[in-house]
Amino acid sequence: MEVPRRPQTSSFTLPLRKPATPAPMSPLGAVEKVTKKDQTKEKLQEKKDDGTTEDDSEFGEETFSPEEDSGVSVFVEAPDETSELGDENISTAESEVRLSSRDSFSAESMKSEERLAEEAKEVKKKTEEEEAEAKERAAMRQLMAIQELVQSERNYLRLLQISTVTIRSNLQKIQPPLANLDSMFLYIEEVIDVSSRLLSLLDQKQVQPGDPLYLETLCDSFLSLSSDIEAAYKEYLANYNHVTVAENSYKQKESLWNDIVRVIKASAPDVNATSVTFFLVMPVQRIARYPLLLQTIQKHTDKSHPAYSLLEQTAHTSIALNCRINEYKRFREVADKYKKTETLTIKDKINRLNSHSIAKKTARLSQHFKHETGIAPKLVDEEFDALEGFFNVLEDGILQLLENVEMYLLHLQAFLSCRTEEFDLDMDGEKAPICYKEITTALRQWILPTFEKRLRTLIHKPLCALRDLLVGPRNLIRKRLDKLLDFEVLETKSNLSYEEQAVANTYRTMNTLLLNELPQFNGLALQMIWSMLGTFSCLHKDLASDMEQLFQSFAQQLPHSSLDRGAFWEWAESTVLAGANRLETLCRSVEDTLNAPVVQPLSPSSQRRLKQLTDKHGSGKIYQVIGTVVASRDLDLNLAKGELVAIISEADTRGDKRRWLVDAGGRRGYAPSSKLIRYHQPTEDPPPSPHLTLPEDVTAIRRHSYTPESRPMAVVSQPCFQVFAAYDFMARGNHEVSIRAGEPVRVLEPHDKRGNPEWSLVEARSGQRGYVPSNYLAIVPMATGQPGAYQPYC
């Protein structure tokens, strides 16, 4: 049986798997690869040496191309006759080659992975070290920032205490005393208090700055005092402008300023300070540094820190606190600008007029007319209108209460001035007058003066201060109305200039300020009024208690002390009613006397006017003015007390009978009928004065032309004359003096300032000086003057 022959091939192809392109390797790796290739070739050579010659003759030589190393196909030349054994040997060799190459590549990749892992570990370790160093640096910077905040707060508090204790006390010793010194240190005590409280809260926890709990303690302390910090610093910063103004006033006087600098340097030698503002500006700078210091601490604090969120809240709170303080300071500046009351003369007002002010006032006036005529709607703010109405009611109540208290004090002073216990009543033997005298003395010397002093201190002075405080809000309300008119004009414009925007912002600021501050002012003012009314009641209660205690000590000595309670009150009531009836009768008689027609001799000018009015209107139309009349309407007359007028009509053009049309001797106008009374002209001359017995040798001397030159020589043997009032004369103005018939007077000038001899300047017995008609004076002789006697009218 014939065995099939294998197809003859001149060559066969052994496919080898192309290895993956390895990453660039180091020279050491390349050497290892070459070594592995040499080992593979040696193994193949040993295989060949172990084979038979027959095999060699059958399969021939095996040829390996150098391309085997690069992964390409290997072509092996073979003779035409091959055997199965040769094929097996070739397959075994190929397998060994593949296994050896795979082992070499796997070993190489494992070494590379190990090397990469080691490098990654080194990088990670280095990164961790760098992160640790960064955290350590951040912690150090955080600690330094915390220490800076705390230490700077301590130094700040120490300098403030030096300024308020040492420097202020030494400045108060300067003579003459410095003006406005206390106003410079206003509200600084509150700033020192809140700073010391902040440090005390930090010291109470007994935690060091390096402790993580210290940051939490710092934030909690600042947040708990944030409202107190704002209240203290906003008032101080709002008042700081007065500090600079006061110091600038000191600098105007060189000697005074040198003394101030010397005191400051001696009080704080370790501080290089040459002015008071060196210390007083520190709160202004300190409140602005809180956000910067807290933000610095936050910058160097890790977000994973347990107090980070609290620190962030504290930083935001400090920023908001500064914003509110700045807003409050701006409001105060606007209020200080517009609440001042300026007392300008007409010249100053004219000098202030310019085109801008005229245009502004014209725009306001036109806007006001538009509101009144209904052309333009008025901007209504119901909340502000309610506050303004309550303020006006409160203002009227305060002014009326102050007026009543002042009248009460005036009556109390008048009562104390009547020292009835000093009068001699010729009742020394009776007990009742003695008790009355002692009681009145005790009342006048210590009970009522003490009551008056307390009333002035607790009621009158606070009311005066409250009245002065009303000026600022009242001026702000008026200015707000002006700014409202400007704002309404600007609302109609689409585009505003810088100045117009400033005007609009000013109105908004004033409106917001009044809406925020006016309710507080109204509430505090109302609270003060209620408190003063309660104090007024307590004062009267104490007064009644003191008087009751005083009267009880004299109760047994009074004549009606033996009566029982019912009988005593019955007697007291009947006595009071009887006294009231007598007082009412007296008042009625006095009123009838005062309302009786006043008949007074007229001056020469009044006599001429009387004759003129009588000839023109008749004697039945003549009336006399009983009180000064001041014109309050058009066509009204200004009339002095005592003037004579003639009635033309007993009603005005509208039929009002309270205004009469009168003729004042050439002037015609209206006068109130309540100030006019019918004039009763005397039918006879005034009765002769009982002192008008003139000597025969001086009959040529006229009474109205008496002069000091006409009196005789001051010789003891010659008679002396004196000037008396011949008739009663009632002064009608400040330039005249009232005299009564028979009252001695002293003639200072026998004429008025214009040289008119109808009036004489005299000095009455009371010492008052004024003019009287010359024909009301009379000269009478007196006894012969004695040597050394006082004869003022001789």
Side-chain angles (χ1 to χ4, degrees):
M1 182 176 174
E2 187 177 359
V3 179
R5 185 177 295 176
R6 184 186 300 268
Q8 298 179 0
T9 56
S10 59
S11 65
F12 68 93
T13 302
L14 179 65
L16 296 177
R17 182 177 299 175
K18 182 183 290 186
T21 304
M25 300 177 63
S26 62
L28 180 61
V31 172
E32 292 177 353
K33 185 176 181 180
V34 172
T35 306
K36 291 179 180 180
K37 290 180 179 181
D38 294 339
Q39 293 177 356
T40 305
K41 291 182 179 180
E42 289 178 356
K43 289 180 179 180
L44 292 175
Q45 188 64 32
E46 290 176 356
K47 292 278 187 182
K48 292 179 180 180
D49 293 341
D50 294 336
T52 58
T53 307
E54 185 180 359
D55 294 332
D56 294 338
S57 60
E58 183 179 357
F59 295 102
E61 294 180 355
E62 292 183 0
T63 305
F64 289 92
S65 172
E67 295 177 357
E68 178 187 357
D69 298 333
S70 58
V72 294
S73 300
V74 179
F75 297 94
V76 180
E77 297 293 335
D80 293 336
E81 289 86 6
T82 59
S83 63
E84 294 180 0
L85 183 59
D87 293 338
E88 293 177 359
N89 291 336
I90 292 173
S91 299
T92 303
E94 290 177 357
S95 299
E96 291 178 356
V97 170
R98 291 177 183 174
L99 290 175
S100 62
S101 61
R102 288 180 182 176
D103 293 340
S104 63
F105 283 125
S106 61
E108 182 179 355
S109 61
M110 290 178 63
K111 290 183 179 180
S112 299
E113 289 176 359
E114 292 177 358
R115 190 178 299 106
L116 290 175
E118 292 178 358
E119 291 178 356
K121 289 181 181 180
E122 292 178 357
V123 171
K124 183 178 180 181
K125 183 178 180 181
K126 186 176 181 180
T127 304
E128 291 177 353
E129 291 176 355
E130 291 178 354
E131 290 178 356
E133 292 177 357
K135 289 183 179 181
E136 186 177 357
R137 286 194 301 269
M140 184 61 65
R141 291 174 181 173
Q142 179 200 50
L143 178 61
M144 292 174 62
I146 294 175
Q147 290 177 346
E148 180 185 1
L149 190 150
V150 177
Q151 189 61 35
S152 60
E153 188 73 20
R154 297 186 189 278
N155 295 334
Y156 162 70
L157 179 60
R158 180 179 62 85
L159 293 176
L160 287 185
Q161 291 173 344
I162 291 175
S163 65
T164 54
V165 178
T166 308
I167 296 178
R168 183 180 183 180
S169 60
N170 293 334
L171 289 176
Q172 290 175 346
K173 299 177 182 178
I174 296 179
Q175 296 297 330
L178 298 177
N180 301 323
L181 180 62
D182 293 335
S183 64
M184 294 183 67
F185 293 90
L186 199 61
Y187 301 112
I188 197 170
E189 298 293 341
E190 289 78 1
V191 175
I192 293 176
D193 177 67
V194 73
S195 179
S196 60
R197 287 165 58 192
L198 177 62
L199 292 175
S200 64
L201 288 177
L202 294 177
D203 296 338
Q204 287 176 1
K205 297 296 183 178
Q206 297 181 356
V207 183
Q208 298 300 324
D211 196 325
L213 294 177
Y214 192 83
L215 182 59
E216 183 177 356
T217 304
L218 175 63
C219 296
D220 288 335
S221 302
F222 190 89
L223 290 176
S224 63
L225 295 175
S226 59
S227 59
D228 297 336
I229 292 174
E230 179 181 355
Y233 277 90
K234 72 177 183 180
E235 296 295 342
Y236 183 84
L237 266 67
N239 186 68
Y240 184 73
N241 291 335
H242 300 288
V243 176
T244 57
V245 171
E247 187 175 80
N248 291 333
S249 65
Y250 299 153
K251 291 181 180 179
Q252 301 298 325
K253 301 177 182 179
E254 185 176 357
S255 59
L256 178 62
W257 180 247
N258 292 333
D259 293 340
I260 293 175
V261 173
R262 177 179 52 79
V263 169
I264 293 174
K265 289 185 177 180
S267 302
D270 56 336
V271 181
N272 188 19
T274 58
S275 64
V276 184
T277 53
F278 176 85
F279 298 95
L280 299 183
V281 78
M282 289 181 178
V284 182
Q285 300 170 344
R286 186 63 184 176
I287 192 64
R289 285 197 65 191
Y290 283 131
L292 300 178
L293 293 172
L294 291 172
Q295 287 176 348
T296 303
I297 297 174
Q298 182 184 3
K299 178 181 178 181
H300 300 296
T301 302
D302 189 13
K303 293 185 178 181
S304 60
H305 195 282
Y308 183 82
S309 59
L310 191 61
L311 176 61
E312 187 177 12
Q313 180 184 355
T314 307
H316 290 322
T317 302
S318 64
I319 296 173
L321 187 144
N322 276 267
C323 293
R324 290 194 296 269
I325 291 176
N326 290 334
E327 191 70 11
Y328 179 79
K329 187 174 184 298
R330 187 171 67 88
F331 283 175
R332 282 289 301 272
E333 290 175 352
V334 172
D336 293 340
K337 178 181 178 181
Y338 290 104
K339 76 178 182 181
K340 294 183 296 184
T341 302
E342 297 180 341
T343 55
L344 300 177
T345 61
I346 297 178
K347 183 179 179 181
D348 295 336
K349 293 181 180 179
I350 293 175
N351 291 334
R352 284 193 172 188
L353 289 177
N354 51 40
S355 59
H356 176 70
S357 62
I358 293 174
K360 182 170 63 175
K361 294 183 183 301
T362 304
R364 291 175 181 174
L365 187 61
S366 63
Q367 189 70 16
H368 185 70
F369 284 157
K370 290 179 181 178
H371 290 164
E372 296 298 328
T373 56
I375 299 176
K378 185 178 181 180
L379 186 61
V380 178
D381 190 344
E382 296 181 356
E383 181 181 2
F384 178 80
D385 292 341
L387 291 174
E388 182 184 4
F390 185 76
F391 174 79
N392 293 332
V393 173
L394 198 62
E395 182 181 14
D396 293 339
I398 292 171
L399 295 179
Q400 290 181 6
L401 181 60
L402 179 59
E403 183 180 358
N404 294 336
V405 170
E406 290 178 346
M407 186 61 64
Y408 184 90
L409 290 172
L410 184 62
H411 291 165
L412 183 60
Q413 289 178 351
F415 177 77
L416 292 175
S417 63
C418 297
R419 302 182 179 183
T420 55
E421 72 277 4
E422 297 179 358
F423 298 154
D424 188 7
L425 302 177
D426 294 332
M427 302 174 67
D428 296 336
E430 300 183 10
K431 292 184 178 181
I434 295 175
C435 293
Y436 170 77
K437 186 175 181 179
E438 292 180 357
I439 290 173
T440 308
T441 302
L443 284 175
R444 188 180 58 81
Q445 288 184 353
W446 63 275
I447 293 181
L448 291 179
T450 303
F451 171 74
E452 181 188 7
K453 183 178 179 181
R454 296 180 66 191
L455 187 64
R456 289 187 180 276
T457 304
L458 300 177
I459 304 297
H460 185 256
K461 287 185 178 180
L463 273 177
C464 292
L466 189 57
R467 177 198 59 191
D468 297 338
L469 291 176
L470 294 173
V471 177
R474 188 190 310 119
N475 291 339
L476 280 177
I477 290 173
R478 292 175 181 173
K479 289 293 183 180
R480 186 250 181 199
L481 178 60
D482 296 338
K483 298 299 179 181
L484 175 61
L485 296 174
D486 298 339
F487 181 76
E488 289 177 347
V489 173
L490 296 177
E491 268 192 331
T492 59
K493 298 182 179 180
S494 57
N495 296 325
L496 300 179
S497 62
Y498 179 78
E499 296 180 355
E500 293 174 341
Q501 188 66 36
V503 171
N505 291 336
T506 301
Y507 164 73
R508 295 190 185 98
T509 301
M510 292 182 65
N511 190 61
T512 305
L513 177 65
L514 287 172
L515 290 177
N516 293 336
E517 300 293 336
L518 199 56
Q520 300 179 14
F521 180 85
N522 292 341
L524 292 176
L526 185 61
Q527 184 178 357
M528 288 183 64
I529 292 176
W530 283 114
S531 177
M532 284 184 283
L533 290 176
T535 304
F536 190 75
S537 301
C538 292
L539 289 177
H540 281 80
K541 183 178 180 181
D542 296 341
L543 176 63
S545 176
D546 294 340
M547 295 181 70
E548 182 181 5
Q549 183 179 359
L550 175 64
F551 281 106
Q552 285 179 354
S553 61
F554 295 96
Q556 300 300 327
Q557 303 179 19
L558 295 176
H560 300 281
S561 59
S562 58
L563 299 177
D564 58 353
R565 183 180 295 273
F568 175 79
W569 283 113
E570 183 179 356
W571 168 83
E573 184 178 0
S574 61
T575 304
V576 170
L577 291 177
N581 293 331
R582 290 196 300 270
L583 181 61
E584 184 178 0
T585 303
L586 177 61
C587 292
R588 189 181 300 110
S589 63
V590 171
E591 185 177 357
D592 294 340
T593 303
L594 293 177
N595 293 334
V598 179
V599 178
Q600 179 178 343
L602 300 176
S603 63
S605 60
S606 298
Q607 289 178 357
R608 288 194 296 270
R609 179 183 292 185
L610 176 61
K611 185 177 182 304
Q612 178 186 358
L613 294 175
T614 303
D615 296 341
K616 188 174 182 180
H617 301 280
S619 60
K621 296 287 187 178
I622 306 302
Y623 280 73
Q624 191 173 20
V625 181
I626 62 175
T628 304
V629 177
V630 180
S632 59
R633 302 182 186 178
D634 294 339
L635 302 179
D636 284 358
L637 293 179
N638 291 318
L639 300 175
K641 180 180 179 181
E643 284 193 44
L644 296 177
V645 295
I647 302 300
I648 300 175
S649 175
E650 294 185 356
D652 58 5
T653 56
R654 297 183 179 180
D656 188 0
K657 294 185 178 181
R658 293 175 298 177
R659 298 175 71 223
W660 290 0
L661 181 62
V662 299
D663 182 4
R667 297 174 299 154
R668 292 190 176 187
Y670 292 100
S673 60
S674 60
K675 295 292 184 71
L676 301 177
I677 190 172
R678 186 181 297 276
Y679 177 71
H680 298 273
Q681 185 175 1
T683 57
E684 300 178 355
D685 293 334
S689 174
H691 305 282
L692 286 179
T693 306
L694 297 178
E696 296 179 357
D697 54 347
V698 293
T699 53
I701 301 177
R702 296 171 55 189
R703 292 176 298 172
H704 65 275
S705 60
Y706 172 81
T707 59
E709 289 79 10
S710 63
R711 66 185 181 182
M713 298 291 292
V715 181
V716 176
S717 60
Q718 294 181 357
C720 185
F721 302 95
Q722 187 167 359
V723 181
F724 283 85
Y727 310 102
D728 292 341
F729 177 75
M730 187 69 65
R732 295 167 297 181
N734 296 331
H735 61 285
E736 298 176 357
V737 63
S738 300
I739 55 177
R740 300 185 65 84
E743 179 182 354
V745 297
R746 182 177 182 178
V747 179
L748 303 177
E749 292 182 358
H751 53 78
D752 60 7
K753 294 182 179 180
R754 298 181 180 180
N756 184 12
E758 295 182 354
W759 292 89
S760 297
L761 179 63
V762 300
E763 180 181 354
R765 182 187 299 175
S766 61
Q768 296 181 351
R769 296 184 178 185
Y771 288 96
V772 297
S774 298
N775 58 359
Y776 277 49
L777 304 177
I779 303 173
V780 295
M782 296 184 64
T784 303
Q786 301 296 328
Y790 176 66
Q791 300 172 358
Y793 302 107
C794 294

